[in-house]
Amino acid sequence: MSQQRVLVVDDEASMRRVLEIMLSKMGYETRSAANGREALHCVQTEVFDLVLTDLRMPEMNGVELLDAIRVLDAEIPVILLTAYGTVDSAVEAMKKGAYDYILRPFDVDAVERIITRALTAERTRRENTFLREEIEKGWGEFVGHGPAMQQVYKLIQQVAPSNTSVLITGETGTGKELAARAIHRASPRKDALFVPLNCAAVPVDILESELFGHARGAFTGASGDRMGKFELANGGTIFLDEITEMPVSMQAKLLRVLQEREIERLGSNRRVPVDIRIVVATNRNPQQAVQDGILREDLFYRINVFTVAMPPLRQR
């Protein structure tokens, strides 16, 4: 799973340092800002799983920062640090959508519990955004136990523990998605999402939005920000079925994502880092697809690191 990121906002450098050290010891990646305006810029240009902010700050206080963050992201949890004298303000902020508030001076153990609860809830919310189908048992979904399928099982077990990109080939109906799920399930990413997308089933004009998401106002009907499949798969595995049906122009954008490990939502210049494993599949001969000009050669070499060929049912 990828590290969760926390933005620490406080005008006191010593308090920022204390919180950063505590969060680092808890296993989280941290970023800090000295005031609300600086913090808002961070949220506009980077992705965070939690914002931990002081309530009383010059220029832009914690409640004003919360309001501004909610315009950009309606879901990210915001926790306020407040002194006894400003509890009423903190309670008011919770009515506006703050996750919780912490009284200063604070008890470290109590703070850790609140932060852990907030980050756990955020990860769960992100996972629940995508309704996934879990496959519960070993190889029971596959048809065939002969030598051809035994070789497939061996290859899956061989490649699963690594982070290697995988190309799965085979005729329609041979279980390419089952193989991709088995690879994910046997990998260190098994507790994160497996996110499938059939490139042949998505209309060309919305494929980019499906893959990379979109910002509010990116096109008619885009009333809010929407997370794409790559962001949903962050920390896990994305499976792109029928990759040769993806337009060549979109393949170029996919190649750039695989090289830079960052995506940009449609209509936004905000770069979002993604930690994903990619598994792709095709029912065509990929080398022939390259020769026919429907699969970019540079993309083919990027995805063809390890190949699993699914035998046709008649050979099982």
Side-chain angles (χ1 to χ4, degrees):
M1 300 283 283
S2 58
Q3 262 191 318
Q4 289 180 286
R5 305 186 72 227
V6 181
L7 176 62
V8 176
V9 192
D10 202 300
D11 56 333
E12 295 180 21
S14 58
M15 180 55 68
R16 291 199 304 274
R17 186 61 184 151
V18 167
L19 291 169
E20 284 182 311
I21 292 171
M22 180 183 70
L23 288 161
S24 295
K25 288 182 177 178
M26 293 173 69
Y28 303 122
E29 182 182 343
T30 62
R31 176 95 152 78
S32 66
N35 55 65
R37 296 196 184 281
E38 184 181 331
L40 186 58
H41 176 72
C42 291
V43 174
Q44 289 171 329
T45 56
E46 301 176 50
V47 174
F48 297 95
D49 298 287
L50 174 70
V51 176
L52 183 60
T53 179
D54 190 18
L55 181 60
R56 300 186 68 174
M57 295 182 292
E59 295 188 35
M60 178 184 283
N61 63 36
V63 175
E64 291 169 335
L65 175 59
L66 170 66
D67 288 338
I69 288 174
R70 281 292 166 261
V71 173
L72 297 170
D73 190 326
E75 301 292 346
I76 181 173
V78 177
I79 296 176
L80 294 159
L81 290 166
T82 180
Y84 281 100
T86 54
V87 169
D88 289 344
S89 298
V91 172
E92 186 64 29
M94 291 187 68
K95 293 178 182 178
K96 292 186 173 186
Y99 180 82
D100 208 340
Y101 66 91
I102 296 168
L103 290 174
R104 300 170 63 172
F106 54 75
D107 175 73
V108 172
D109 290 339
V111 172
E112 288 185 356
R113 284 195 297 272
I114 292 172
I115 290 172
T116 299
R117 189 169 67 244
L119 284 166
T120 300
E122 170 60 10
R123 188 179 290 279
T124 301
R125 181 198 67 78
R126 185 170 67 84
E127 291 181 351
N128 287 343
T129 301
F130 182 79
L131 183 60
R132 53 179 173 167
E133 295 178 356
E134 289 286 356
I135 297 177
E136 298 294 340
K137 299 178 182 178
W139 309 109
E141 310 84 10
F142 288 100
V143 175
H145 299 281
M149 286 305 295
Q150 290 300 324
Q151 177 64 15
V152 168
Y153 304 151
K154 181 179 177 181
L155 290 173
I156 289 174
Q157 291 172 320
Q158 179 182 338
V159 75
S162 70
N163 202 38
T164 302
S165 298
V166 181
L167 171 63
I168 303 174
T169 62
E171 298 175 4
T172 300
T174 52
K176 295 188 292 295
E177 183 172 337
L178 290 179
R181 287 182 180 274
I183 290 169
H184 172 75
R185 211 170 49 241
S187 78
R189 297 172 178 267
K190 63 183 179 181
D191 293 326
L193 288 176
F194 174 87
V195 180
L197 178 70
N198 187 329
C199 300
V202 180
V204 173
D205 56 344
I206 66 169
L207 182 57
E208 183 173 0
S209 174
E210 282 294 307
L211 285 170
F212 309 129
H214 63 250
R216 183 174 59 179
F219 50 82
T220 303
S223 57
D225 290 356
R226 183 177 183 275
M227 190 180 292
K229 295 292 192 284
F230 269 87
E231 279 186 84
L232 286 169
N234 197 18
T237 303
I238 188 167
F239 172 59
L240 302 179
D241 198 6
E242 306 307 348
I243 188 69
T244 54
E245 303 305 311
M246 179 183 289
V248 173
S249 59
M250 189 62 62
Q251 292 179 26
K253 295 181 179 181
L254 173 61
L255 179 64
R256 188 166 64 249
V257 170
L258 297 182
Q259 291 170 337
E260 299 177 5
R261 298 291 166 173
E262 291 181 332
I263 62 103
E264 288 184 11
R265 290 181 180 178
L266 187 63
S268 171
N269 58 5
R270 179 182 174 194
R271 295 196 165 198
V272 180
V274 288
D275 168 29
I276 53 98
R277 179 186 200 164
I278 183 166
V279 179
V280 304
T282 179
N283 60 8
R284 296 175 181 263
N285 180 315
Q287 289 92 345
Q288 186 62 50
V290 171
Q291 292 180 19
D292 293 343
I294 60 174
L295 178 63
R296 287 178 61 107
E297 186 173 17
D298 47 5
L299 177 61
F300 171 63
Y301 286 118
R302 171 67 71 166
I303 60 179
N304 188 36
V305 180
F306 191 97
T307 302
V308 176
M310 299 299 293
L313 297 177
R314 60 185 174 274
Q315 293 181 9
R316 300 184 194 181

